[in-house]
Amino acid sequence: MQKILIISLILFYTTILAGSSFSQKKVLLYTKNGKGYVHDNIPNAISMFDSLSKMMHFQLTVSEDPIIFNEIFLKQIDLIIFSSTNNDVFDTDIQRLEFRHYIEAGGKFFGIHSAVGTERNWTWFKQMLGCTFAWHPPFQAFDVIKLAPNHASLKSIPMRWERKDECYFLKELFPGVQPILAVDLLSLKADSTNLSKVAINKGTYGQYYPIAWEQDFDGGHILISTLGHDKNDYKSGAYVDYLKQSITYLLSYNKLKNYQKVHSISKDDPAINLK
């Protein structure tokens, strides 16, 4: 029995590394922005995810049209990625409710960079994200620390990861999240950063402030990373490896969606299933 289990695990991880296990997986990459700032990294991100879909053998749909949020389409989707979305990205509350039903049914969601600034007036959505955007100091080099060294999305990331990015500070923090990466705030440059504003925005956190986390929320599994401002990060290197590992982790979740578990009638109904 033990020998069979070991062989099964070897085969499982072999297929994960090869990418062949994702041939039936369908991913939606959503990039819509509402009124306001739009990141110039979006074309690079689309190109990178297209390359990853070919490398990892998953089926990719790219859209910025909210009409795609309907039950018929979403029932086919194994993972939704919001890449540098910002502000209001749905046209109607019906679309918002359809997105919520996808999560309640057990859907998986990956929010990248300014995804945390999306739908800032929708309480349930902000709870699902784990927060909403507050402020960031100027783009600069800083150190990122692994808080969950054995997390599958971080396997190629060093314990102290030096990179250039925007250090996001957040508000309306939801207590259900489990941080997996943090910024070492002591590595922020004093000469280019308003340190008094950092002190205000970090709240009760000390030296380390969360910059990536996950949670089980209202039936779904959520992974968030606020890293990813620079469009050149999406070409190659450690950041692309990090995103690849994150997608591998999420697509390896074999929990099937079950629309019988959908419970909300309105987009604003309280979340009742936090696991």
Side-chain angles (χ1 to χ4, degrees):
M1 186 70 176
Q2 186 177 10
K3 185 176 181 181
I4 293 173
L5 178 60
I6 292 172
I7 292 173
S8 298
L9 288 171
I10 291 172
L11 289 173
F12 172 76
Y13 285 112
T14 300
T15 54
I16 290 295
L17 291 173
S20 59
S21 63
F22 302 142
S23 60
Q24 301 302 314
K25 300 291 187 179
K26 296 183 179 181
V27 175
L28 168 62
L29 175 63
Y30 193 58
T31 60
K32 182 176 173 60
N33 277 247
K35 293 181 180 179
Y37 181 81
V38 179
H39 283 80
D40 65 0
N41 64 39
I42 291 176
N44 293 53
I46 292 172
S47 177
M48 183 215 67
F49 280 112
D50 182 61
S51 297
L52 286 184
S53 72
K54 294 178 174 62
M55 180 190 307
M56 301 169 67
H57 309 291
F58 60 81
Q59 302 173 50
L60 180 68
T61 298
V62 180
S63 179
E64 57 178 15
D65 188 347
I67 199 172
I68 206 165
F69 290 95
N70 62 81
E71 184 175 320
I72 294 175
F73 176 75
L74 293 180
K75 277 186 172 180
Q76 308 172 48
I77 296 300
D78 298 289
L79 170 63
I80 294 177
I81 302 172
F82 277 27
S83 186
S84 292
T85 54
N86 197 17
N87 295 311
D88 294 340
V89 298
F90 301 100
D91 286 342
T92 69
D93 283 349
I94 293 176
Q95 293 163 356
R96 291 180 175 91
L97 187 59
E98 293 285 7
F99 173 86
R100 177 170 175 169
H101 284 172
Y102 165 84
I103 297 297
E104 291 174 352
K108 295 180 286 291
F109 176 85
F110 186 20
I112 299 172
H113 196 48
S114 61
V116 295
T118 302
E119 293 292 322
R120 304 183 195 206
N121 298 310
W122 182 10
T123 297
W124 179 91
F125 192 88
K126 290 184 288 187
Q127 290 176 342
M128 182 209 69
L129 292 174
C131 63
T132 190
F133 174 77
W135 171 78
H136 69 77
F139 180 88
Q140 61 182 281
F142 54 78
D143 292 348
V144 175
I145 307 299
K146 287 168 71 168
L147 299 179
N150 297 321
H151 198 281
S153 67
L154 308 179
K155 63 183 181 180
S156 71
I157 304 304
M159 284 300 297
R160 180 173 286 267
W161 184 17
E162 298 179 6
R163 57 174 289 106
K164 289 184 177 180
D165 215 310
E166 289 177 335
C167 176
Y168 271 22
F169 289 89
L170 313 161
K171 59 185 179 180
E172 298 182 55
L173 295 165
F174 187 72
V177 304
Q178 300 174 344
I180 59 177
L181 285 175
V183 176
D184 182 350
L185 296 179
L186 296 181
S187 66
L188 293 175
K189 293 181 176 61
D191 59 345
S192 61
T193 303
N194 185 333
L195 295 183
S196 63
K197 201 166 184 179
V198 169
I200 293 171
N201 279 274
K202 74 174 185 177
T204 57
Y205 285 98
Q207 181 177 348
Y208 303 109
Y209 191 88
I211 203 164
W213 56 88
E214 68 178 335
Q215 70 166 326
D216 292 313
F217 180 82
D218 215 5
H221 190 74
I222 316 301
L223 184 66
I224 305 292
S225 175
T226 63
L227 299 172
H229 175 76
D230 191 348
K231 63 182 179 181
N232 293 314
D233 279 343
Y234 295 87
K235 294 180 179 179
S236 62
Y239 183 71
V240 172
D241 291 340
Y242 167 54
L243 294 182
K244 180 182 177 182
Q245 290 161 186
S246 298
I247 294 170
T248 299
Y249 167 66
L250 290 166
L251 290 182
S252 299
Y253 250 75
N254 289 321
K255 180 181 177 182
L256 298 177
K257 295 194 301 298
N258 181 359
Y259 269 76
Q260 296 299 314
K261 295 184 176 181
V262 168
H263 62 83
S264 59
I265 298 173
S266 162
K267 72 176 179 68
D268 294 317
D269 287 349
I272 63 171
N273 180 12
L274 300 183
K275 288 291 183 183

